[in-house]
Amino acid sequence: MEKLRTYIRAVMKEKNLKGIHIQARSGNKIKDSTISDILSGKVKSISVDKLNALAKGLGVDGVELYKAASGEETDFRNTEPWPARVLVEAVDKIVSSPDLTEIVQALLKAKPAKIKAVKKVLQAGKE
């Protein structure tokens, strides 16, 4: 269960999720308190239904979650570069913002060298 806890913590950190978010995204099929119990080590085994709900709530591939639950090393970041939820949220932000819409439209028309230059400027802003 330690690998599962590590995996859940990593996904929660990467996606900035709290237990209550996972509960809501799972359709309330896994409770915030259950997630807390898993993370604290109180849960010694977990049902397939709870694993499925947890995968849905975390927005990760169920197979990756099962691997973590079985003790296998996993890296959720390599499973889906654009999970459906993240893609929908990104498109929603683009559509809702005239500035982002204009930027994306310009990037779609830009040549690879220009895109690379823009990427470099954006990465420099992170530092």
Side-chain angles (χ1 to χ4, degrees), residues 42 67 78 104 110 116 125:
K42 291 180 185 174
K67 286 179 181 178
N78 291 333
V104 170
K116 198 171 189 176

Side-chain angles (χ1 to χ4, degrees), residues 108-125:
L108 290 172
K109 294 175 187 173
K111 293 184 178 179
K114 186 76 163 185
I115 293 171
K116 198 171 189 176
V118 170
K119 181 180 174 185
K120 191 173 182 177
V121 168
L122 292 172
Q123 288 174 334

Side-chain angles (χ1 to χ4, degrees), residues 50-61:
K50 293 295 179 203
L51 283 173
N52 287 334
L54 187 56
K56 183 177 179 183
L58 289 168
V60 297
D61 180 54

Side-chain angles (χ1 to χ4, degrees), residues 21-90:
H21 301 136
I22 298 166
Q23 177 179 325
R25 291 169 48 162
S26 76
N28 292 315
K29 292 184 179 178
I30 189 164
K31 301 291 180 202
D32 176 34
S33 59
T34 304
I35 297 162
S36 293
D37 288 347
I38 293 168
L39 293 174
S40 69
K42 291 180 185 174
V43 172
K44 301 299 178 201
S45 65
I46 185 169
S47 71
V48 171
D49 288 340
K50 293 295 179 203
L51 283 173
N52 287 334
L54 187 56
K56 183 177 179 183
L58 289 168
V60 297
D61 180 54
V63 173
E64 286 298 308
L65 191 70
Y66 286 103
K67 286 179 181 178
S70 72
E72 222 177 287
E73 289 290 334
T74 58
D75 184 1
F76 75 93
R77 290 166 291 199
N78 291 333
T79 60
E80 274 187 88
W82 282 95
R85 177 193 57 80
V86 174
L87 184 57
V88 168
E89 288 174 5

